[in-house]
């Protein structure tokens, strides 16, 4: 793998770390709204978390995604960029030629498919840590040795170990089907709008977009992608939160059916506002971190290899 290919992975790592720092508090609210009980609306959820757990509550489960999301984003951006370059080489004989829409779509789907292998365990641990202090509403349930409202897991490593002991590898990949259905189309609605908006708002004659164009295009793409991904994101969150105290759902389809029967169609749009709002700054930070670090690495390479 040459230095150009490696740069995409390195830049994706920087972008992923930036997005976690910016987006995790809203991600906690989104997860509580989708998989928790008794929060009502977004504002009430924010106030409840703050009142019960202070500011620390918004950053529950952040250490693991901060470490792993950087790797996750590195893989997503690296796979997307290198797949796109490979397809351009096949189509035009030049890996640096401007990709066509079908190539972007195919590269996005490949990135989404590959990302599930890394992203599912990351999301599961993050959601378990975010949800473990939530009250359990099953009145006839006996929980031993833990009690609802008190931590079940001491941290990310303990969470992984506990899930592996109780549920095996399948437990770590709980929600993978829903995540696949979320991310394969989701990344198409992430990378394609970003590329299109960047092209629209970048002034004619500019070789590359400026930071304000990247920020705006990344934010709009993030809002679109996360907004449209909400229904499957709800299912994924419920499947992965399920299991802190008991297993309520047998799988993706069962989760969809139970959620619809108990709460109606509106349940699949729970957290859509916070998802879209969170998507803007989170993805702005992601693309800014990616593009600016990529530009810096290319500049350094040019200076060292004139």
């Amino acid at each position: 793998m040459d230095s150009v290919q490696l740069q995409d992975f390195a830049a994706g790592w920087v972008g992923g770390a930036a997005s976690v720092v910016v987006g995790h508090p809203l991600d906690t609210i989104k997860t509580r709204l989708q998989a928790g009980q008794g929060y009502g609306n977004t504002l009430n959820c924010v106030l409840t978390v703050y009142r019960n757990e202070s500011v620390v509550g918004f950053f529950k489960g952040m250490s693991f995604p901060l470490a792993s999301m950087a790797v996750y984003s590195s893989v997503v951006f690296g796979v997307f960029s290198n797949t796109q370059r490979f397809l351009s080489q096949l189509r035009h004989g030049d890996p640096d030629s401007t990709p066509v829409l079908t190539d972007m779509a195919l590269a996005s789907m490949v990135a989404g498919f590959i990302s599930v292998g890394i992203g599912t365990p990351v999301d599961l641990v993050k959601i378990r840590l975010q949800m473990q202090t939530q009250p359990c509403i099953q009145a006839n349930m006996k929980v031993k040795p833990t009690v609802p409202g008190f931590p079940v897991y001491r941290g990310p490593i303990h969470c992984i170990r506990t899930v592996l002991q109780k549920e095996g590898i399948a437990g770590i990949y709980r929600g993978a089907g829903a995540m696949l259905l979320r991310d394969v189309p989701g990344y198409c609605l992430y990378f394609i709008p970003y590329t299109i908006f960047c092209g629209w708002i970048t002034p004619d004659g500019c070789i590359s977009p400026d930071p304000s164009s990247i920020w705006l295009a990344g934010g709009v793409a993030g809002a679109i992608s996360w907004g449209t991904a909400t229904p499957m994101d709800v299912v994924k969150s419920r499947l992965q939160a399920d299991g802190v105290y008991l297993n309520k759902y047998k799988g993706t389809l069962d989760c969809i059916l139970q959620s619809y029967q108990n709460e109606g169609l509106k349940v699949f749009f729970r957290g859509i506002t916070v998802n879209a709002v969170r998507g803007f700054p989170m993805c702005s930070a992601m693309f800014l971190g990616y593009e600016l670090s990529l530009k810096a690495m290319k500049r350094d390479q040019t200076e060292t290899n004139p």
Side-chain angles (χ1 to χ4, degrees), residues 10-301:
W13 190 93
V14 174
S19 72
V20 172
V21 173
V22 171
H24 193 79
L26 282 170
D27 183 69
T28 298
I29 297 303
K30 181 265 297 184
T31 302
R32 296 284 181 93
L33 281 169
Q34 290 178 343
Q37 297 289 336
Y39 286 113
N41 56 36
T42 303
L43 179 60
N44 184 52
C45 184
V46 171
L47 294 174
T48 303
V49 171
Y50 180 74
R51 189 165 53 245
N52 294 340
E53 303 168 60
S54 77
V55 175
V56 177
F58 296 104
F59 293 91
K60 284 262 177 73
M62 181 174 158
S63 60
F64 186 68
L66 186 59
S68 53
M69 186 66 178
V71 177
Y72 174 77
S73 295
S74 172
V75 170
V76 169
F77 277 88
V79 168
F80 171 76
S81 299
N82 286 295
T83 302
Q84 201 169 240
R85 200 175 284 119
F86 172 74
L87 292 171
S88 292
Q89 176 71 46
L90 283 180
R91 190 183 294 273
H92 306 292
D94 179 12
D96 297 317
S97 65
T98 304
V100 296
L101 189 65
T102 51
D103 287 354
M104 278 194 286
L106 185 56
S108 299
M109 288 190 283
V110 171
F113 186 84
I114 297 294
S115 73
V116 171
I118 300 171
T120 305
V122 171
D123 269 14
L124 181 118
V125 172
K126 179 197 70 179
I127 284 173
R128 291 287 175 95
L129 292 173
Q130 286 172 330
M131 294 301 297
Q132 65 174 333
T133 55
Q134 296 311 287
C136 190
I137 59 169
Q138 279 76 13
N140 61 347
M141 195 188 69
K142 295 179 181 177
V143 181
K144 293 180 181 179
T146 55
V147 179
F150 291 88
V152 179
Y153 312 112
R154 292 191 293 272
I157 303 302
H158 181 246
C159 179
I160 293 170
R161 193 164 63 241
T162 303
V163 173
L164 281 171
Q165 286 172 350
K166 290 183 177 179
E167 304 170 58
I169 294 293
I172 288 290
Y173 280 90
R174 188 171 177 80
M179 194 169 184
L180 200 64
L181 292 171
R182 184 195 73 175
D183 284 0
V184 170
Y187 276 117
C188 289
L189 293 170
Y190 184 60
F191 286 113
I192 293 174
Y194 170 74
T195 305
I196 292 171
F197 278 111
C198 254
W200 282 351
I201 60 185
T202 299
D204 292 336
C206 290
I207 298 172
S208 60
D210 59 29
S212 61
S213 298
I214 296 167
W215 176 84
L216 183 58
V220 170
I224 291 170
S225 177
W226 276 107
T228 52
T230 297
M232 287 316 300
D233 191 46
V234 169
V235 175
K236 182 197 73 70
S237 292
R238 289 188 161 211
L239 280 167
Q240 293 186 323
D242 186 43
V244 174
Y245 297 112
L246 80 168
N247 288 324
K248 182 180 176 183
Y249 307 115
K250 297 184 182 73
T252 303
L253 183 59
D254 184 50
C255 181
I256 292 170
L257 292 173
Q258 281 199 51
S259 298
Y260 176 72
Q261 287 167 358
N262 295 333
E263 299 168 73
L265 194 61
K266 65 181 181 181
V267 69
F268 299 109
F269 297 94
R270 205 183 260 183
I272 189 169
T273 303
V274 74
N275 246 352
V277 169
R278 158 184 166 269
F280 194 102
M282 188 175 163
C283 297
S284 291
M286 177 88 78
F287 277 107
L288 267 175
Y290 173 76
E291 296 283 11
L292 295 182
S293 57
L294 195 62
K295 194 178 291 186
M297 284 186 284
K298 287 178 178 177
R299 186 171 59 245
D300 288 346
Q301 189 177 33

